[in-house]
Amino acid sequence: MLTKEEKINKILRLKKEKNAIILAHYYQDGDIQDIADFVGDSLALSQRATQVDEDIILFCGVHFMAETSKILNPSKKVVIPDLNAGCSLADSAKPEEFQKWIEQYPDSVVVTYINSTAEIKAMSDLICTSSNAVKIVESIPKDKKVLFAPDKFLGAYVRLSTGRYLELWNGTCQVHEMFSEEKVIQLTNEHPDAIVLAHPECPPNILKYAHIIGSTTKIIDTAVNSKDTKFIILTEPGVIHEMKKRAPQKTYIDVPNLDGCSCNECPYMRLNTLDKIINSLETLQPEIEIPEEIRLKALIPIQRMLEISK
Ligand code: 13P
Ligand code: SF4
């Protein structure tokens, strides 16, 4: 049985030996964020995946994120510590039903959140992330009907921000939809001086308490760079690791449920562990594989997004 330090040293050695880069999302355990070569939100991770020189990308996040890296950089072997690291949003959109939905609205523009499978991306016109969803929808001519999938809460937020009517797919993030309004009221009453930071995957009854709404990067940067010193964090608590590193003197208040359940931790993200990372680097498995026909179709709307986000 290796100690944590021995595991970390082993990972760093294997990473060199295999010529691998570790990309990680802010919802990973702090130890995983610390051994990563790059940590970011979904948009930054996609942008970084296009610039990899190493032979192997070990992606510490969830499946759709690793899949996006493979779509963008197919010559690299992309491995993920646990193939079961899925996402309730990606699971909510199945290709057959999605195709039927699109067919109901001919001549519309299909904007799909990056939290979706490669097959669904391949059926879309534009991809967006939480950091550019408003900008992406605003890039579409006003006379076009827009379908937005799969996150109905992000879609509702984009509707409000753009003043445009969007047809919404009925998907949710099982983590962000679990925040308790009662708990948020309790915490804001206890800490009237705290700034409330929320991810747009939260439902409207939670977002209405937020001072700032944005992607994980925006939430972290706001907490670190603002002159305020206390923050209530309405997203996965993994982001607090980076906040504490960059601004350790500030107070970050995590929001578990009323019964104390840590339902705000993403069960998929948290499947990744140091042991599984060692296994992935040793075996170069499990590997992300996408049929080339689907990859090529999915690449087009992702590239459009990257172009608009420049
Ligand atoms: P970000 O793109 O804001 O990092 O969010 C990804 C995600 O899965 C949020 O639940
Ligand atoms: Fe998916 Fe929600 Fe987990 Fe993000 S937090 S990966 S949207 S289940």
Side-chain angles (χ1 to χ4, degrees):
M1 182 70 179
L2 298 179
T3 63
K4 187 168 95 179
E5 208 186 351
E6 286 167 339
K7 287 178 190 174
I8 290 170
N9 286 336
K10 189 166 182 182
I11 290 169
L12 297 177
R13 181 173 52 73
L14 281 165
K15 192 165 68 116
K16 240 191 207 153
E17 252 174 57
K18 305 279 176 161
N19 193 24
I21 185 172
I22 300 183
L23 304 183
H25 188 264
Y26 287 123
Y27 292 167
Q28 293 294 280
D29 282 338
D31 291 334
I32 298 181
Q33 293 188 42
D34 290 343
I35 49 137
D37 297 285
F38 181 84
V39 188
D41 67 2
S42 308
L43 178 63
L45 285 162
S46 314
Q47 289 164 330
R48 185 64 183 82
T50 62
Q51 292 151 8
V52 167
D53 295 323
E54 291 80 355
D55 300 321
I56 315 288
I57 299 175
L58 173 68
F59 202 104
C60 296
V62 290
H63 190 271
F64 76 82
M65 295 178 173
E67 213 177 39
T68 305
S69 295
K70 183 70 182 177
I71 293 168
L72 285 163
N73 208 338
S75 64
K76 308 296 173 187
K77 191 187 259 277
V78 179
V79 292
I80 183 168
D82 191 321
L83 214 45
N84 293 317
C87 169
S88 66
L89 279 168
D91 287 346
S92 77
K94 301 279 182 255
E96 212 172 292
E97 289 163 47
F98 197 74
Q99 185 58 40
K100 280 190 194 145
W101 184 60
I102 294 174
E103 281 168 7
Q104 285 176 47
Y105 306 97
D107 286 334
S108 53
V109 178
V110 181
V111 179
T112 298
Y113 190 30
I114 197 160
N115 297 40
S116 52
T117 62
E119 268 177 296
I120 296 296
K121 288 186 175 80
M123 296 158 79
S124 309
D125 299 303
L126 278 161
I127 301 303
C128 71
T129 72
S130 61
S131 61
N132 60 22
V134 170
K135 193 174 179 185
I136 295 290
V137 169
E138 280 174 342
S139 75
I140 302 165
K142 289 221 161 37
D143 60 332
K144 281 279 177 195
K145 185 169 184 64
V146 179
L147 308 190
F148 191 94
D151 187 353
K152 68 173 179 186
F153 293 138
L154 176 63
Y157 168 71
V158 176
R159 263 187 191 166
L160 271 179
S161 307
T162 61
R164 282 183 76 153
Y165 180 76
L166 313 176
E167 209 61 57
L168 305 179
W169 182 265
N170 189 20
T172 55
C173 160
Q174 71 181 65
V175 176
H176 288 85
E177 77 172 343
M178 286 295 285
F179 282 112
S180 145
E181 184 173 355
E182 214 179 321
K183 184 74 185 177
V184 176
I185 294 170
Q186 183 195 316
L187 285 172
T188 49
N189 284 338
E190 274 172 29
H191 306 277
D193 54 333
I195 301 297
V196 180
L197 305 173
H199 197 280
E201 286 174 11
C202 294
N205 71 318
I206 297 295
L207 287 185
K208 72 181 181 201
Y209 298 96
H211 297 103
I212 303 284
I213 298 171
S215 74
T216 51
T217 294
K218 183 167 172 183
I219 288 174
I220 292 167
D221 288 348
T222 304
V224 170
N225 300 327
S226 93
K227 57 178 179 4
D228 298 292
T229 57
K230 198 189 262 187
F231 304 90
I232 293 173
I233 311 296
L234 289 167
T235 192
E236 220 274 3
V239 296
I240 296 174
H241 183 72
E242 180 72 11
M243 293 170 178
K244 283 189 176 158
K245 259 165 107 174
R246 285 164 57 193
Q249 73 288 2
K250 296 190 179 184
T251 306
Y252 308 107
I253 303 162
D254 177 23
V255 190
N257 236 316
L258 278 178
D259 59 5
C261 146
S262 296
C263 309
N264 55 337
E265 283 191 2
C266 175
Y268 307 107
M269 288 277 182
R270 303 289 175 151
L271 283 175
N272 296 331
T273 61
L274 294 176
D275 286 316
K276 290 179 193 172
I277 290 173
I278 291 175
N279 181 57
S280 280
L281 283 170
E282 278 175 340
T283 61
L284 299 182
Q285 292 292 332
E287 186 182 353
I288 301 288
E289 283 172 295
I290 310 168
E292 186 61 1
E293 195 194 331
I294 290 177
R295 188 192 72 78
L296 287 171
K297 282 189 188 154
L299 181 61
I300 298 167
I302 299 176
Q303 278 178 329
R304 283 191 191 127
M305 170 189 78
L306 294 178
E307 198 52 43
I308 295 169
S309 303
K310 262 185 192 163

